[in-house]
Amino acid sequence: MTAPTLVMVAPGSRDQRVVRIAHALQAELTALRPEVKPEIAFLDSCLPSLIPTLAGLQAGGVREAVIVPLDLVHAVEVDPRYGGVVAHAAREFPGLRLQVSRPIGPEATLLSLLDSRLRSALAQARVLELDGLILSSPTTGDVRGTALLARRARQWSTHHRLPCLTAVADGSGPSVPQAIQGLRAQGRRHIAVGSFFLAGDERYAVQADQARRGGAIAVLDPLGSAVEVAELVLARYAFAAMELLSFDEQGNFTTDLMSDEDAEGYAVSA
């Protein structure tokens, strides 16, 4: 028995930057934990899609896999399509056990990465003064994710002692121009726009253009394949992989089925 295969799943996009970021994240994960052997799949618009990826895993002798949604704004809920994938896999791939992890979500550890992006953007724009921040995301996420995004904005605001408003790119909440207008109403003129986007997809490009048109002095790059993101993927994988462990009737883990090296794969932690 070997450790489950990690399958990272990203929303598909016609923008190849999404694909490149997924592959870069795969390389980062391989460097961190080469024994995990991460795979990549997409829900739509890009190849490989998830069902053929799972078919290939079973054909290759894989018995267990953990699906990790690459979603930075949903904290608990996953795309409903994952349920259909798991049901399909149960019918078509009976030899493959699946577990879907929580999404990455807007974790507090990503604020340090956000600050790194902020320093880089300000240096590139040669900005010496900053008096307002905006935290932009693709959507509002689930209920828990929305609450956490608001908390991250407050934490970022407290850390820099500057007002920080949230904005979303899909119309489900205040837009970047509206957030900029809100800060300008407070007398703020030097505004930077942070990003809880994983990749520079179409929605990111739109919000970045809106920010620049609105007079933002700096627009931060997406969080991308940074090691902080990779470590969160590994943490989600490790927690979900525990659900696939076998126990005997007394509730003891059946370690005799697994070598020490394989058991280590279950103990990944960020």
Side-chain angles (χ1 to χ4, degrees):
M1 181 178 175
T2 60
T5 296
L6 191 166
V7 183
M8 296 181 294
V9 182
S13 172
R14 293 186 298 272
D15 194 319
Q16 285 301 302
R17 285 174 292 188
V18 174
V19 178
R20 289 196 292 270
I21 286 296
H23 283 280
L25 189 55
Q26 181 186 39
E28 186 66 45
L29 287 166
T30 299
L32 288 173
R33 296 302 295 259
E35 72 278 6
V36 171
K37 299 180 177 60
E39 298 282 341
I40 300 171
F42 299 91
L43 279 181
D44 43 33
S45 302
C46 296
L47 296 176
S49 56
L50 185 50
I51 291 296
T53 296
L54 298 178
L57 291 178
Q58 178 172 263
V62 172
R63 295 171 55 190
E64 297 178 328
V66 172
I67 296 172
V68 180
L70 298 182
D71 183 337
L72 295 179
V73 295
H74 287 75
V76 178
E77 298 176 10
V78 297
D79 191 302
R81 286 176 290 180
Y82 285 109
V85 167
V86 172
H88 178 92
R91 294 191 305 269
E92 301 296 326
F93 318 129
L96 180 64
R97 297 177 64 206
L98 290 179
Q99 186 71 29
V100 180
S101 80
R102 287 200 295 123
I104 297 173
E107 287 293 320
T109 55
L110 295 175
L111 287 177
S112 62
L113 179 55
L114 201 65
D115 271 338
S116 174
R117 296 288 186 269
L118 178 62
R119 290 191 295 271
S120 176
L122 293 179
Q124 185 175 359
R126 298 182 179 180
V127 172
L128 300 178
E129 186 176 356
L130 184 67
D131 58 12
L133 295 167
I134 293 171
L135 184 58
S136 176
S137 61
T139 70
T140 52
D142 55 10
V143 174
R144 178 63 174 161
T146 299
L148 286 176
L149 280 168
R151 181 183 297 179
R152 301 300 168 246
R154 292 193 299 271
Q155 290 171 325
W156 208 30
S157 171
T158 300
H159 178 71
H160 291 285
R161 298 181 182 179
L162 295 172
C164 178
L165 300 181
T166 58
V168 293
D170 69 346
S172 60
S175 65
V176 166
Q178 288 171 330
I180 290 176
Q181 185 178 9
L183 288 175
R184 296 220 185 278
Q186 301 176 28
R188 309 291 169 168
R189 294 294 177 265
H190 305 90
I191 300 166
V193 178
S195 167
F196 252 97
F197 287 75
L198 186 66
D201 59 9
E202 297 95 332
R203 286 183 295 182
Y204 170 81
V206 169
Q207 71 94 35
D209 181 64
Q210 290 176 338
R212 295 186 181 99
R213 289 174 180 270
I217 58 173
V219 179
L220 280 59
D221 288 338
L223 301 183
S225 59
V227 65
E228 292 90 343
V229 177
E231 288 174 344
L232 285 172
V233 171
L234 287 172
R236 298 291 179 265
Y237 161 80
F239 189 85
M242 294 296 292
E243 298 295 323
L244 294 171
L245 291 176
S246 298
F247 294 86
D248 61 23
E249 294 180 355
Q250 286 73 42
N252 300 312
F253 173 48
T254 54
T255 53
D256 57 312
L257 297 178
M258 182 182 296
S259 68
D260 291 340
E261 181 180 355
D262 290 334
E264 183 182 356
Y266 283 95
V268 178
S269 60

PDB file of all heavy atoms in Angstrom, residues 22-39:
ATOM      1  N   ALA A  22      -0.283  26.131 -12.963  1.00  0.00           N
ATOM      2  CA  ALA A  22      -0.543  24.785 -12.447  1.00  0.00           C
ATOM      3  C   ALA A  22       0.694  23.906 -12.575  1.00  0.00           C
ATOM      4  O   ALA A  22       1.059  23.171 -11.647  1.00  0.00           O
ATOM      5  CB  ALA A  22      -1.727  24.167 -13.178  1.00  0.00           C
ATOM      6  N   HIS A  23       1.367  23.976 -13.709  1.00  0.00           N
ATOM      7  CA  HIS A  23       2.565  23.168 -13.904  1.00  0.00           C
ATOM      8  C   HIS A  23       3.717  23.662 -13.012  1.00  0.00           C
ATOM      9  O   HIS A  23       4.507  22.853 -12.511  1.00  0.00           O
ATOM     10  CB  HIS A  23       2.973  23.179 -15.370  1.00  0.00           C
ATOM     11  CG  HIS A  23       2.136  22.285 -16.229  1.00  0.00           C
ATOM     12  ND1 HIS A  23       2.327  20.919 -16.298  1.00  0.00           N
ATOM     13  CD2 HIS A  23       1.071  22.552 -17.036  1.00  0.00           C
ATOM     14  CE1 HIS A  23       1.442  20.385 -17.117  1.00  0.00           C
ATOM     15  NE2 HIS A  23       0.655  21.356 -17.575  1.00  0.00           N
ATOM     16  N   ALA A  24       3.805  24.967 -12.818  1.00  0.00           N
ATOM     17  CA  ALA A  24       4.834  25.495 -11.923  1.00  0.00           C
ATOM     18  C   ALA A  24       4.586  25.052 -10.487  1.00  0.00           C
ATOM     19  O   ALA A  24       5.524  24.732  -9.744  1.00  0.00           O
ATOM     20  CB  ALA A  24       4.870  27.021 -12.007  1.00  0.00           C
ATOM     21  N   LEU A  25       3.316  25.011 -10.088  1.00  0.00           N
ATOM     22  CA  LEU A  25       2.973  24.543  -8.748  1.00  0.00           C
ATOM     23  C   LEU A  25       3.281  23.056  -8.612  1.00  0.00           C
ATOM     24  O   LEU A  25       3.750  22.600  -7.558  1.00  0.00           O
ATOM     25  CB  LEU A  25       1.496  24.821  -8.471  1.00  0.00           C
ATOM     26  CG  LEU A  25       0.986  24.603  -7.044  1.00  0.00           C
ATOM     27  CD1 LEU A  25       1.803  25.400  -6.044  1.00  0.00           C
ATOM     28  CD2 LEU A  25      -0.489  24.990  -6.958  1.00  0.00           C
ATOM     29  N   GLN A  26       3.043  22.295  -9.659  1.00  0.00           N
ATOM     30  CA  GLN A  26       3.398  20.874  -9.654  1.00  0.00           C
ATOM     31  C   GLN A  26       4.904  20.700  -9.436  1.00  0.00           C
ATOM     32  O   GLN A  26       5.341  19.851  -8.652  1.00  0.00           O
ATOM     33  CB  GLN A  26       2.974  20.220 -10.964  1.00  0.00           C
ATOM     34  CG  GLN A  26       3.282  18.732 -11.042  1.00  0.00           C
ATOM     35  CD  GLN A  26       2.972  18.161 -12.414  1.00  0.00           C
ATOM     36  OE1 GLN A  26       3.219  18.812 -13.437  1.00  0.00           O
ATOM     37  NE2 GLN A  26       2.436  16.950 -12.447  1.00  0.00           N
ATOM     38  N   ALA A  27       5.707  21.513 -10.118  1.00  0.00           N
ATOM     39  CA  ALA A  27       7.163  21.436  -9.964  1.00  0.00           C
ATOM     40  C   ALA A  27       7.581  21.811  -8.546  1.00  0.00           C
ATOM     41  O   ALA A  27       8.484  21.187  -7.963  1.00  0.00           O
ATOM     42  CB  ALA A  27       7.842  22.352 -10.978  1.00  0.00           C
ATOM     43  N   GLU A  28       6.923  22.812  -7.964  1.00  0.00           N
ATOM     44  CA  GLU A  28       7.238  23.229  -6.596  1.00  0.00           C
ATOM     45  C   GLU A  28       6.907  22.120  -5.606  1.00  0.00           C
ATOM     46  O   GLU A  28       7.672  21.833  -4.681  1.00  0.00           O
ATOM     47  CB  GLU A  28       6.459  24.495  -6.252  1.00  0.00           C
ATOM     48  CG  GLU A  28       6.791  25.111  -4.910  1.00  0.00           C
ATOM     49  CD  GLU A  28       8.216  25.656  -4.844  1.00  0.00           C
ATOM     50  OE1 GLU A  28       8.632  26.324  -5.799  1.00  0.00           O
ATOM     51  OE2 GLU A  28       8.889  25.392  -3.828  1.00  0.00           O
ATOM     52  N   LEU A  29       5.764  21.475  -5.795  1.00  0.00           N
ATOM     53  CA  LEU A  29       5.374  20.368  -4.918  1.00  0.00           C
ATOM     54  C   LEU A  29       6.335  19.198  -5.049  1.00  0.00           C
ATOM     55  O   LEU A  29       6.694  18.560  -4.051  1.00  0.00           O
ATOM     56  CB  LEU A  29       3.951  19.918  -5.245  1.00  0.00           C
ATOM     57  CG  LEU A  29       2.824  20.840  -4.799  1.00  0.00           C
ATOM     58  CD1 LEU A  29       1.524  20.456  -5.485  1.00  0.00           C
ATOM     59  CD2 LEU A  29       2.659  20.783  -3.298  1.00  0.00           C
ATOM     60  N   THR A  30       6.752  18.906  -6.271  1.00  0.00           N
ATOM     61  CA  THR A  30       7.691  17.807  -6.491  1.00  0.00           C
ATOM     62  C   THR A  30       9.011  18.088  -5.796  1.00  0.00           C
ATOM     63  O   THR A  30       9.636  17.178  -5.224  1.00  0.00           O
ATOM     64  CB  THR A  30       7.918  17.590  -7.997  1.00  0.00           C
ATOM     65  OG1 THR A  30       6.663  17.258  -8.611  1.00  0.00           O
ATOM     66  CG2 THR A  30       8.902  16.470  -8.252  1.00  0.00           C
ATOM     67  N   ALA A  31       9.441  19.352  -5.815  1.00  0.00           N
ATOM     68  CA  ALA A  31      10.686  19.723  -5.135  1.00  0.00           C
ATOM     69  C   ALA A  31      10.550  19.587  -3.620  1.00  0.00           C
ATOM     70  O   ALA A  31      11.486  19.166  -2.935  1.00  0.00           O
ATOM     71  CB  ALA A  31      11.076  21.147  -5.514  1.00  0.00           C
ATOM     72  N   LEU A  32       9.368  19.932  -3.087  1.00  0.00           N
ATOM     73  CA  LEU A  32       9.151  19.859  -1.644  1.00  0.00           C
ATOM     74  C   LEU A  32       9.006  18.422  -1.164  1.00  0.00           C
ATOM     75  O   LEU A  32       9.577  18.034  -0.147  1.00  0.00           O
ATOM     76  CB  LEU A  32       7.903  20.659  -1.262  1.00  0.00           C
ATOM     77  CG  LEU A  32       7.996  22.182  -1.315  1.00  0.00           C
ATOM     78  CD1 LEU A  32       6.628  22.801  -1.072  1.00  0.00           C
ATOM     79  CD2 LEU A  32       8.994  22.709  -0.288  1.00  0.00           C
ATOM     80  N   ARG A  33       8.198  17.627  -1.859  1.00  0.00           N
ATOM     81  CA  ARG A  33       7.932  16.249  -1.460  1.00  0.00           C
ATOM     82  C   ARG A  33       7.916  15.342  -2.692  1.00  0.00           C
ATOM     83  O   ARG A  33       6.849  15.016  -3.221  1.00  0.00           O
ATOM     84  CB  ARG A  33       6.593  16.152  -0.708  1.00  0.00           C
ATOM     85  CG  ARG A  33       6.528  16.909   0.606  1.00  0.00           C
ATOM     86  CD  ARG A  33       7.599  16.458   1.592  1.00  0.00           C
ATOM     87  NE  ARG A  33       7.422  15.097   2.011  1.00  0.00           N
ATOM     88  CZ  ARG A  33       6.886  14.723   3.174  1.00  0.00           C
ATOM     89  NH1 ARG A  33       6.475  15.629   4.016  1.00  0.00           N
ATOM     90  NH2 ARG A  33       6.777  13.454   3.482  1.00  0.00           N
ATOM     91  N   PRO A  34       9.061  14.938  -3.199  1.00  0.00           N
ATOM     92  CA  PRO A  34       9.108  14.155  -4.443  1.00  0.00           C
ATOM     93  C   PRO A  34       8.369  12.836  -4.364  1.00  0.00           C
ATOM     94  O   PRO A  34       7.936  12.310  -5.396  1.00  0.00           O
ATOM     95  CB  PRO A  34      10.617  13.940  -4.657  1.00  0.00           C
ATOM     96  CG  PRO A  34      11.254  14.224  -3.335  1.00  0.00           C
ATOM     97  CD  PRO A  34      10.392  15.231  -2.660  1.00  0.00           C
ATOM     98  N   GLU A  35       8.178  12.287  -3.163  1.00  0.00           N
ATOM     99  CA  GLU A  35       7.494  10.995  -3.052  1.00  0.00           C
ATOM    100  C   GLU A  35       5.987  11.102  -3.301  1.00  0.00           C
ATOM    101  O   GLU A  35       5.314  10.097  -3.527  1.00  0.00           O
ATOM    102  CB  GLU A  35       7.739  10.370  -1.674  1.00  0.00           C
ATOM    103  CG  GLU A  35       7.019  11.030  -0.513  1.00  0.00           C
ATOM    104  CD  GLU A  35       7.719  12.274   0.021  1.00  0.00           C
ATOM    105  OE1 GLU A  35       8.717  12.703  -0.576  1.00  0.00           O
ATOM    106  OE2 GLU A  35       7.255  12.812   1.042  1.00  0.00           O
ATOM    107  N   VAL A  36       5.440  12.319  -3.278  1.00  0.00           N
ATOM    108  CA  VAL A  36       3.993  12.494  -3.454  1.00  0.00           C
ATOM    109  C   VAL A  36       3.578  12.357  -4.921  1.00  0.00           C
ATOM    110  O   VAL A  36       2.485  11.908  -5.224  1.00  0.00           O
ATOM    111  CB  VAL A  36       3.553  13.863  -2.879  1.00  0.00           C
ATOM    112  CG1 VAL A  36       2.103  14.167  -3.238  1.00  0.00           C
ATOM    113  CG2 VAL A  36       3.729  13.874  -1.362  1.00  0.00           C
ATOM    114  N   LYS A  37       4.442  12.734  -5.841  1.00  0.00           N
ATOM    115  CA  LYS A  37       4.184  12.624  -7.288  1.00  0.00           C
ATOM    116  C   LYS A  37       2.849  13.276  -7.680  1.00  0.00           C
ATOM    117  O   LYS A  37       1.903  12.610  -8.111  1.00  0.00           O
ATOM    118  CB  LYS A  37       4.210  11.159  -7.730  1.00  0.00           C
ATOM    119  CG  LYS A  37       5.543  10.472  -7.499  1.00  0.00           C
ATOM    120  CD  LYS A  37       5.506   9.026  -7.944  1.00  0.00           C
ATOM    121  CE  LYS A  37       6.869   8.352  -7.775  1.00  0.00           C
ATOM    122  NZ  LYS A  37       7.339   8.338  -6.374  1.00  0.00           N
ATOM    123  N   PRO A  38       2.740  14.601  -7.552  1.00  0.00           N
ATOM    124  CA  PRO A  38       1.469  15.281  -7.824  1.00  0.00           C
ATOM    125  C   PRO A  38       1.074  15.238  -9.290  1.00  0.00           C
ATOM    126  O   PRO A  38       1.922  15.271 -10.188  1.00  0.00           O
ATOM    127  CB  PRO A  38       1.741  16.719  -7.375  1.00  0.00           C
ATOM    128  CG  PRO A  38       3.227  16.876  -7.509  1.00  0.00           C
ATOM    129  CD  PRO A  38       3.805  15.534  -7.167  1.00  0.00           C
ATOM    130  N   GLU A  39      -0.229  15.164  -9.524  1.00  0.00           N
ATOM    131  CA  GLU A  39      -0.810  15.216 -10.858  1.00  0.00           C
ATOM    132  C   GLU A  39      -1.616  16.504 -10.994  1.00  0.00           C
ATOM    133  O   GLU A  39      -2.017  17.120 -10.002  1.00  0.00           O
ATOM    134  CB  GLU A  39      -1.731  14.016 -11.099  1.00  0.00           C
ATOM    135  CG  GLU A  39      -1.049  12.668 -11.038  1.00  0.00           C
ATOM    136  CD  GLU A  39      -0.273  12.351 -12.300  1.00  0.00           C
ATOM    137  OE1 GLU A  39      -0.553  12.994 -13.343  1.00  0.00           O
ATOM    138  OE2 GLU A  39       0.593  11.455 -12.249  1.00  0.00           O
TER     139      GLU A  39
END
